[in-house]
Short mmCIF file of all heavy atoms in Angstrom, two decimals:
data_model
loop_
_atom_site.label_atom_id
_atom_site.label_comp_id
_atom_site.label_asym_id
_atom_site.label_seq_id
_atom_site.Cartn_x
_atom_site.Cartn_y
_atom_site.Cartn_z
N GLU A 295 26.11 12.89 -14.56
CA GLU A 295 24.70 12.52 -14.63
C GLU A 295 23.94 13.11 -13.44
O GLU A 295 24.53 13.65 -12.51
CB GLU A 295 24.55 11.00 -14.66
CG GLU A 295 25.19 10.36 -15.87
CD GLU A 295 24.96 8.86 -15.92
OE1 GLU A 295 24.23 8.34 -15.05
OE2 GLU A 295 25.53 8.21 -16.83
N THR A 296 22.64 13.00 -13.49
CA THR A 296 21.80 13.47 -12.38
C THR A 296 20.78 12.40 -12.02
O THR A 296 20.52 11.47 -12.79
CB THR A 296 21.05 14.77 -12.75
OG1 THR A 296 20.25 14.55 -13.92
CG2 THR A 296 22.02 15.92 -12.98
N LEU A 297 20.20 12.56 -10.85
CA LEU A 297 19.17 11.66 -10.36
C LEU A 297 17.84 12.41 -10.33
O LEU A 297 17.79 13.59 -10.01
CB LEU A 297 19.50 11.19 -8.94
CG LEU A 297 20.83 10.48 -8.72
CD1 LEU A 297 21.10 10.36 -7.22
CD2 LEU A 297 20.81 9.10 -9.36
N ASN A 298 16.77 11.71 -10.63
CA ASN A 298 15.42 12.25 -10.48
C ASN A 298 14.49 11.31 -9.72
O ASN A 298 13.54 11.76 -9.10
CB ASN A 298 14.78 12.54 -11.85
CG ASN A 298 15.52 13.61 -12.61
OD1 ASN A 298 16.26 13.29 -13.54
ND2 ASN A 298 15.35 14.85 -12.22
N GLU A 299 14.78 10.02 -9.79
CA GLU A 299 13.99 9.02 -9.09
C GLU A 299 14.93 8.09 -8.33
O GLU A 299 15.87 7.56 -8.90
CB GLU A 299 13.14 8.20 -10.07
CG GLU A 299 12.11 9.03 -10.83
CD GLU A 299 11.23 8.17 -11.71
OE1 GLU A 299 11.10 6.95 -11.44
OE2 GLU A 299 10.67 8.72 -12.68
N VAL A 300 14.65 7.93 -7.04
CA VAL A 300 15.49 7.09 -6.19
C VAL A 300 14.58 6.22 -5.34
O VAL A 300 13.56 6.70 -4.82
CB VAL A 300 16.40 7.95 -5.28
CG1 VAL A 300 17.16 7.08 -4.29
CG2 VAL A 300 17.38 8.74 -6.13
N VAL A 301 14.96 4.95 -5.19
CA VAL A 301 14.24 4.03 -4.32
C VAL A 301 15.21 3.51 -3.27
O VAL A 301 16.30 3.01 -3.62
CB VAL A 301 13.63 2.86 -5.12
CG1 VAL A 301 12.90 1.90 -4.17
CG2 VAL A 301 12.69 3.38 -6.19
N ILE A 302 14.85 3.64 -2.00
CA ILE A 302 15.71 3.22 -0.91
C ILE A 302 14.95 2.23 -0.03
O ILE A 302 13.90 2.58 0.53
CB ILE A 302 16.17 4.42 -0.05
CG1 ILE A 302 16.92 5.44 -0.91
CG2 ILE A 302 17.04 3.95 1.11
CD1 ILE A 302 17.29 6.71 -0.16
N PRO A 303 15.44 0.98 0.11
CA PRO A 303 14.78 0.02 1.01
C PRO A 303 14.86 0.50 2.46
O PRO A 303 15.91 0.96 2.93
CB PRO A 303 15.59 -1.26 0.82
CG PRO A 303 16.30 -1.09 -0.48
CD PRO A 303 16.58 0.39 -0.60
N LEU A 304 13.75 0.42 3.16
CA LEU A 304 13.71 0.76 4.59
C LEU A 304 13.81 -0.53 5.39
O LEU A 304 12.87 -0.96 6.06
CB LEU A 304 12.43 1.53 4.90
CG LEU A 304 12.27 2.89 4.22
CD1 LEU A 304 10.92 3.49 4.54
CD2 LEU A 304 13.39 3.84 4.62
N SER A 305 14.98 -1.15 5.33
CA SER A 305 15.17 -2.48 5.91
C SER A 305 15.89 -2.42 7.25
O SER A 305 16.78 -3.21 7.53
CB SER A 305 15.96 -3.35 4.93
OG SER A 305 17.18 -2.71 4.59
N PHE A 306 15.55 -1.44 8.08
CA PHE A 306 16.20 -1.29 9.38
C PHE A 306 15.25 -0.58 10.33
O PHE A 306 14.31 0.08 9.91
CB PHE A 306 17.50 -0.49 9.23
CG PHE A 306 17.34 0.77 8.43
CD1 PHE A 306 16.90 1.94 9.02
CD2 PHE A 306 17.60 0.79 7.07
CE1 PHE A 306 16.74 3.11 8.29
CE2 PHE A 306 17.43 1.95 6.32
CZ PHE A 306 17.00 3.11 6.93
N ASP A 307 15.53 -0.72 11.61
CA ASP A 307 14.71 -0.05 12.62
C ASP A 307 15.29 1.31 12.92
O ASP A 307 16.52 1.48 13.03
CB ASP A 307 14.68 -0.88 13.91
CG ASP A 307 13.93 -2.18 13.74
OD1 ASP A 307 12.98 -2.20 12.94
OD2 ASP A 307 14.31 -3.18 14.39
N CYS A 308 14.44 2.31 13.06
CA CYS A 308 14.89 3.64 13.45
C CYS A 308 13.71 4.39 14.06
O CYS A 308 12.55 4.05 13.83
CB CYS A 308 15.46 4.42 12.27
SG CYS A 308 14.29 4.70 10.92
N LYS A 309 14.03 5.41 14.84
CA LYS A 309 13.00 6.25 15.45
C LYS A 309 12.41 7.20 14.41
O LYS A 309 11.21 7.45 14.38
CB LYS A 309 13.63 7.04 16.59
CG LYS A 309 12.70 7.97 17.35
CD LYS A 309 13.46 8.68 18.46
CE LYS A 309 12.59 9.71 19.17
NZ LYS A 309 13.37 10.44 20.21
N TYR A 310 13.27 7.75 13.57
CA TYR A 310 12.85 8.63 12.49
C TYR A 310 13.85 8.56 11.36
O TYR A 310 14.98 8.09 11.53
CB TYR A 310 12.72 10.09 12.97
CG TYR A 310 14.04 10.78 13.24
CD1 TYR A 310 14.78 11.38 12.22
CD2 TYR A 310 14.57 10.84 14.54
CE1 TYR A 310 16.00 12.00 12.46
CE2 TYR A 310 15.78 11.46 14.79
CZ TYR A 310 16.50 12.03 13.74
OH TYR A 310 17.70 12.64 13.99
N PHE A 311 13.45 9.04 10.20
CA PHE A 311 14.40 9.27 9.12
C PHE A 311 14.02 10.56 8.41
O PHE A 311 12.88 11.03 8.49
CB PHE A 311 14.41 8.09 8.12
CG PHE A 311 13.11 7.84 7.40
CD1 PHE A 311 12.79 8.52 6.24
CD2 PHE A 311 12.20 6.92 7.90
CE1 PHE A 311 11.60 8.29 5.58
CE2 PHE A 311 11.00 6.68 7.24
CZ PHE A 311 10.70 7.37 6.08
N ARG A 312 15.01 11.13 7.76
CA ARG A 312 14.77 12.34 6.95
C ARG A 312 15.66 12.26 5.74
O ARG A 312 16.67 11.53 5.72
CB ARG A 312 15.03 13.62 7.76
CG ARG A 312 16.44 13.77 8.28
CD ARG A 312 16.62 15.05 9.09
NE ARG A 312 18.01 15.24 9.49
CZ ARG A 312 18.96 15.78 8.74
NH1 ARG A 312 18.67 16.19 7.50
NH2 ARG A 312 20.19 15.92 9.17
N ILE A 313 15.33 13.03 4.70
CA ILE A 313 16.04 12.97 3.43
C ILE A 313 16.65 14.34 3.11
O ILE A 313 16.01 15.38 3.27
CB ILE A 313 15.10 12.58 2.28
CG1 ILE A 313 14.38 11.26 2.59
CG2 ILE A 313 15.87 12.47 0.96
CD1 ILE A 313 15.29 10.08 2.75
N THR A 314 17.89 14.31 2.65
CA THR A 314 18.57 15.50 2.14
C THR A 314 19.00 15.22 0.71
O THR A 314 19.48 14.12 0.41
CB THR A 314 19.81 15.84 2.98
OG1 THR A 314 19.46 15.95 4.35
CG2 THR A 314 20.44 17.16 2.52
N VAL A 315 18.83 16.19 -0.18
CA VAL A 315 19.34 16.05 -1.54
C VAL A 315 20.22 17.25 -1.87
O VAL A 315 20.06 18.33 -1.30
CB VAL A 315 18.20 15.93 -2.58
CG1 VAL A 315 17.38 14.68 -2.33
CG2 VAL A 315 17.31 17.17 -2.58
N LYS A 316 21.15 17.05 -2.79
CA LYS A 316 22.06 18.11 -3.23
C LYS A 316 22.10 18.13 -4.74
O LYS A 316 22.17 17.07 -5.39
CB LYS A 316 23.46 17.87 -2.67
CG LYS A 316 24.48 18.95 -3.05
CD LYS A 316 25.81 18.77 -2.35
CE LYS A 316 26.56 17.56 -2.83
NZ LYS A 316 27.95 17.49 -2.28
N ASP A 317 22.07 19.35 -5.32
CA ASP A 317 22.16 19.44 -6.77
C ASP A 317 23.60 19.75 -7.21
O ASP A 317 24.51 19.87 -6.37
CB ASP A 317 21.16 20.47 -7.33
CG ASP A 317 21.47 21.91 -6.92
OD1 ASP A 317 22.61 22.20 -6.51
OD2 ASP A 317 20.55 22.76 -7.04
N ALA A 318 23.81 19.87 -8.50
CA ALA A 318 25.15 20.06 -9.05
C ALA A 318 25.76 21.40 -8.66
O ALA A 318 26.98 21.58 -8.77
CB ALA A 318 25.11 19.92 -10.57
N HIS A 319 24.94 22.34 -8.20
CA HIS A 319 25.44 23.66 -7.79
C HIS A 319 25.74 23.72 -6.30
O HIS A 319 26.10 24.79 -5.78
CB HIS A 319 24.41 24.73 -8.16
CG HIS A 319 24.05 24.76 -9.61
ND1 HIS A 319 24.91 25.20 -10.60
CD2 HIS A 319 22.92 24.37 -10.26
CE1 HIS A 319 24.34 25.10 -11.78
NE2 HIS A 319 23.12 24.59 -11.60
#
Side-chain angles (χ1 to χ4, degrees):
E295 298 183 4
T296 57
L297 303 168
N298 297 104
E299 297 184 23
V300 174
V301 179
I302 302 175
L304 296 176
S305 56
F306 48 85
D307 292 328
C308 61
K309 180 180 176 183
Y310 72 84
F311 62 86
R312 61 181 185 83
I313 305 298
T314 306
V315 297
K316 181 174 69 172
D317 67 18
H319 303 289

